[in-house]
Amino acid sequence: MDYIMSRLTDGAYVIAVEDTTTWDSMTYSNLYVLQQDSRVILVDAGLKAYQSAVVAALAEIGIQPEQVTHVLLTHGHRDHVEGAALFTNAQKVIHSADWPMLASPLAAQVAKFTPQAEAGTFAAAGLKGLEVVLVNTHSPGSVAIYDHRSQALFVGDFFCYFGEALPEGRLVTNSEAIKRGSCQYVAGQAAAGGQEFAAFMQGLSRLLAYRPEFFCTGHGVVLCEDIHSFLNNMWQSGTQTRNAK
């Protein structure tokens, strides 16, 4: 499978695998690499079918699979977790609510994020500068992960651009058109209402505490530049439409 790899900032990369066979339409499935001192951290791991592409992309930045020390899974769907089996030396972690979604023997290799005192937050054992937040929708244990060093917010499939074309062929973009379209989508969901949207807004509210420079989704475009304002605009789009009903 073909892939695109882009550098976000020092020690932070996105690998987007182009998948034309798994779904009805072509999409990019994303995973992320963080190099922090002696640690090599992956956020999500893709399908098993992506392994050759992932190995090739990692080699471009001088990383072999056995050097990966941690795999942090945003949720339990197979297109995000299956490839974790490749990283035999890595500590693998997922939210406890999504752990039952893992097939064996992978489940036996995966630990669970440790709850912290604050509601909806979790610890990634042994890793500093990373905050794990339950985002309350998509799957029972979907989380976002914020990396203070790179200012990247990894949201998995809490919000993503599944099957959408890359603007001007760019994977990492500050596209105002995409940001506006995202806000319009949230407004449309607000107009429809329902429990799922209420859960989404609760998850979104938990992300407003952070000031990311990268909005790293599970599929497709990675947005950059003033993501805090983008998150607030999505929040306002949801609340204003909901309140106007």
Side-chain angles (χ1 to χ4, degrees):
M1 288 182 169
D2 292 333
Y3 66 88
I4 301 171
M5 187 177 69
S6 293
R7 175 183 171 275
L8 302 178
T9 187
D10 289 345
Y13 303 85
V14 53
I15 301 169
V17 180
E18 182 179 310
D19 193 330
T20 60
T21 60
T22 306
W23 294 276
D24 292 337
S25 61
M26 194 282 287
T27 194
Y28 292 94
S29 290
N30 298 356
L31 56 149
Y32 298 87
V33 185
L34 296 173
Q35 293 176 296
Q36 297 188 351
D37 304 319
S38 61
R39 298 179 180 89
V40 177
I41 303 161
L42 295 190
V43 178
D44 286 334
L47 285 165
K48 182 179 180 180
Y50 301 165
Q51 287 184 350
S52 60
V54 171
V55 169
L58 290 174
E60 288 191 38
I61 50 178
I63 297 171
Q64 299 300 314
E66 60 270 19
Q67 294 175 294
V68 174
T69 60
H70 296 79
V71 179
L72 309 183
L73 302 170
T74 60
H75 62 290
H77 292 158
R78 60 186 292 266
D79 58 320
H80 290 257
V81 305
E82 237 182 31
L86 173 67
F87 305 102
T88 54
N89 293 335
Q91 177 183 345
K92 308 171 182 84
V93 197
I94 198 169
H95 189 283
S96 58
D98 275 15
W99 185 87
M101 299 169 66
L102 303 178
S104 60
L106 179 60
Q109 304 169 21
V110 179
K112 301 164 188 175
F113 287 121
T114 306
Q116 298 188 128
E118 299 85 357
T121 63
F122 298 82
L127 296 176
K128 295 181 180 179
L130 291 171
E131 296 191 42
V132 182
V133 184
L134 182 66
V135 289
N136 221 44
T137 190
H138 188 68
S139 70
S142 278
V143 300
I145 300 166
Y146 182 63
D147 175 35
H148 285 271
R149 182 179 296 190
S150 65
Q151 294 181 281
L153 179 65
F154 307 101
V155 299
D157 287 357
F158 172 72
F159 201 96
C160 61
Y161 301 100
F162 192 91
E164 295 189 26
L166 304 181
E168 300 177 353
R170 292 179 296 169
L171 179 61
V172 182
T173 177
N174 64 352
S175 170
E176 289 300 323
I178 290 182
K179 291 177 181 178
R180 285 195 304 272
S182 301
C183 293
Q184 290 165 0
Y185 172 81
V186 171
Q189 294 298 301
Q195 284 188 322
E196 183 71 13
F197 178 73
F200 169 83
M201 289 296 285
Q202 183 179 16
L204 180 59
S205 72
R206 293 172 177 168
L207 303 182
L208 299 180
Y210 304 102
R211 291 190 169 273
E213 284 300 314
F214 300 96
F215 186 66
C216 301
T217 72
H219 298 275
V221 165
V222 175
L223 292 172
C224 63
E225 297 185 16
D226 196 15
I227 298 303
H228 182 69
S229 294
F230 168 61
L231 295 174
N232 273 283
N233 289 341
M234 283 205 294
W235 172 261
Q236 291 171 9
S237 296
T239 53
Q240 290 171 0
T241 302
R242 184 174 56 186
N243 293 339
K245 290 175 65 178

